[in-house]
Amino acid sequence: MIWVTWRQFRAPALTGAALVAAAAIGFLITGLRMHHSYAADLAACAPLHACDGTTPAARALGARFSQLQRGYEPMFELLQLLVVAVPALLGLFWGAPLVGRELETGTHQLAWGQTVTRTRWLAVKVAVVGAAAVATAGVFSWLLTWWAGPLDELNGGRWAAMTFASRGIVPLGYAAFAFALGTTAGLLLRRTIPAMAVTLAAFVVIQIFFPAVVRPHLLPPTTVSYPINQDVVSRAQGIDFRNDTADIALLNLPVPPGTWVTDAPPIEDSSGHAVAAAAHPECFPGLGSDEVTTDFADSGTCLAQYDLHQTVSYQPASHYWPMQWAETGIFLVLGAALAGFSFWWIRRRQN
């Protein structure tokens, strides 16, 4: 049965291997060049924070880092999208046809008419092709994690939705889930094209829903309340006027480096009510004119007398790998549940 499965899977496997090899060559050629440029610039201003200085040399080196970011940014976004799409493609082209095509063409009758039981027939298919799918996603994830290392350091964050989903071990969980999803869809629909459409639609919905709704709550966030005063305002990167100045909020409050801010509601008073900018016009020169001045050096001192605060919830940098494991585990469990359902369904089928 393993030999038969390999014979059926040989063409997709060879095609996938060729694509992985081509991608690896592209990653290595561009990645080595980028890593060399980054290492050379880093060595010129070690440690890295020296590039943030005000001397002409430091500014020049900082400009070189910015140029490096801008030069590779389009490729960075494209490769991230590619790695995020790999699990979906595996579910479409390896998972959905795995059983759906055999049921559609009737070739499953040949296997079921022999001594091979239908559960063993399905188990071998799922084990062989599923392992190949997870391995393929792992290779792409490792290549991108290595390739984007310098850019991740310069960007200073690994929490962006697409960045988190394309790094580390999360793509392995996605691949297992997408493959099981495609296999189950093919088994239920008994048609390859409809199964591919269902797999793609379901995977896209989950990729939108999970980062926005579930991921921020995988681990309890840390919540900090910042008093609004001159010190806090001066360390923020500006003030945001929301809902036509009905709410105000500080931008990029001084949270620890490497954190993911999951919630930053507007500035509130001691009673927990949002504060409108119009309630304190003396603190915002130019309020009500066509353009509010962006110089808020004195706004913090002015607002301090009103006992205001802004609460920020964030996931600390130490939660990155626990959340990677948690998300991977969730999708592995979902994939195992779909596989278990497929075995239950195929055993109940009489025809």
Side-chain angles (χ1 to χ4, degrees):
M1 188 61 206
I2 295 178
W3 181 85
V4 173
T5 300
W6 163 245
R7 291 282 296 180
Q8 293 176 322
F9 180 60
R10 181 172 56 182
L14 293 177
T15 301
L19 292 175
V20 170
I25 292 172
F27 273 108
L28 290 173
I29 292 175
T30 58
L32 288 173
R33 183 166 59 244
M34 178 176 60
H35 279 249
H36 175 75
S37 299
Y38 176 76
D41 292 342
L42 186 61
C45 64
L48 178 59
H49 59 76
C51 297
D52 298 328
T54 58
T55 64
R59 287 197 298 269
L61 288 167
R64 286 165 60 182
F65 279 123
S66 298
Q67 183 179 4
L68 180 69
Q69 284 180 283
R70 290 193 300 269
Y72 285 95
E73 192 67 25
M75 186 180 298
F76 176 75
E77 298 293 341
L78 180 62
L79 292 179
Q80 283 196 143
L81 181 61
L82 169 66
V83 175
V84 170
V86 163
L89 295 175
L90 293 171
L92 287 176
F93 295 102
W94 287 6
L98 185 69
V99 177
R101 180 173 296 161
E102 296 224 36
L103 296 176
E104 185 176 10
T105 58
T107 55
H108 66 289
Q109 299 289 354
L110 178 62
W112 292 3
Q114 308 299 319
T115 58
V116 178
T117 64
R118 44 181 86 179
T119 52
R120 181 187 173 194
W121 173 79
L122 181 61
V124 173
K125 283 179 169 292
V126 169
V128 172
V129 185
V134 172
T136 301
V139 170
F140 273 100
S141 174
W142 178 82
L143 286 171
L144 178 62
T145 301
W146 168 80
W147 184 92
L151 298 180
D152 287 341
E153 288 290 335
L154 293 174
N155 292 332
R158 302 172 294 175
W159 293 103
M162 193 173 294
T163 301
F164 189 89
S166 59
R167 302 291 198 280
I169 59 175
V170 167
L172 279 70
Y174 289 159
F177 169 74
F179 173 77
L181 177 64
T183 302
T184 305
L187 179 64
L188 295 177
L189 299 176
R190 301 170 61 87
R191 297 290 186 272
T192 302
I193 300 301
M196 294 173 71
V198 169
T199 301
L200 178 61
F203 191 81
V204 169
V205 169
I206 289 175
Q207 281 293 319
I208 295 173
F209 172 81
F210 198 93
V213 178
V214 180
R215 186 180 296 161
H217 307 289
L218 286 176
L219 293 178
T222 298
T223 301
V224 178
S225 182
Y226 290 89
I228 305 302
N229 52 42
Q230 185 180 22
D231 177 61
V232 172
V233 172
S234 64
R235 288 190 292 157
Q237 294 185 3
I239 298 180
D240 180 26
F241 294 89
R242 304 175 180 175
N243 303 321
D244 197 21
T245 72
D247 300 324
I248 51 177
L250 297 181
L251 296 173
N252 297 328
L253 282 163
V255 296
T259 61
W260 174 28
V261 176
T262 57
D263 188 29
I267 294 175
E268 299 176 340
D269 58 23
S270 57
S271 301
H273 299 115
V275 176
H280 306 290
E282 72 279 7
C283 299
F284 304 101
L287 186 67
S289 61
D290 292 338
E291 291 188 4
V292 182
T293 178
T294 57
D295 183 9
F296 297 111
D298 298 325
S299 295
T301 302
C302 179
L303 291 172
Q305 60 185 311
Y306 298 107
D307 190 23
L308 306 178
H309 67 276
Q310 182 171 344
T311 302
V312 176
S313 297
Y314 62 86
Q315 294 287 353
S318 59
H319 283 186
Y320 179 80
W321 279 108
M323 290 180 68
Q324 279 264 327
W325 282 104
E327 187 163 331
T328 303
I330 288 173
F331 280 95
L332 287 176
V333 169
L334 290 175
L338 287 171
F341 173 81
S342 297
F343 283 105
W344 173 83
W345 180 267
I346 204 170
R347 290 185 64 181
R348 286 177 56 89
R349 285 189 55 83
Q350 299 299 320
N351 184 5

